[in-house]
Structure formats: structure tokens, C-alpha cells
Amino acid sequence: MIVWRKASRSNTSGGNCVEVAQRPGSVGVRDSKDPNGPTFALSQETFRLLVRDVKAGDLDKP
């Protein structure tokens, strides 16, 4: 069974929210507002790099 958890920066005001789940050999990611919608899996290394870039603000809109 995959257990999803909401990202710590997500809020209840309808903003950008994601959920993540540890999967065998990967990390699952989905939109928390659409839990039955599409999901995707990232390698653990790719997820680590994504989190690093998000925290650094490298993916913010200009």
C-alpha cells in the first residue's frame, strides 16, 4: 500500500499543493487537489535534486 503525505509547505487555501509517497526505488508525486488524477514517479536522486532546486528558488517564475 502506498501512503501519500502532503508536502509541508502545502496549505488549505487552494494553492499549489503536492503529495509525495515513498515507492520501491522511487518517489511518487501527485496533485493533492486531484488524488485520483495522474501521478508520476521520480528516482530518489531526481527527487532530491528537485527538492534542492525548489528550496533554492531555482524554479520560481521570473
Side-chain angles (χ1 to χ4, degrees), residues 31-57:
D31 182 346
S32 64
K33 295 180 300 299
D34 187 12
N36 295 316
T39 65
F40 60 95
L42 301 173
S43 71
Q44 292 175 351
E45 176 65 10
T46 298
F47 183 74
R48 185 188 69 75
L49 294 171
L50 173 64
V51 170
R52 180 199 66 192
D53 291 348
V54 168
K55 285 182 176 182

Side-chain angles (χ1 to χ4, degrees), residues 2-62:
I2 296 175
V3 178
W4 293 93
R5 65 181 181 88
K6 191 176 283 194
S8 61
R9 301 258 177 166
S10 294
N11 59 46
T12 58
S13 65
N16 297 324
C17 303
V18 297
E19 292 179 325
V20 296
Q22 185 66 42
R23 301 167 73 170
S26 66
V27 177
V29 181
R30 71 180 182 185
D31 182 346
S32 64
K33 295 180 300 299
D34 187 12
N36 295 316
T39 65
F40 60 95
L42 301 173
S43 71
Q44 292 175 351
E45 176 65 10
T46 298
F47 183 74
R48 185 188 69 75
L49 294 171
L50 173 64
V51 170
R52 180 199 66 192
D53 291 348
V54 168
K55 285 182 176 182
D58 293 344
L59 303 176
D60 292 346
K61 292 181 180 177

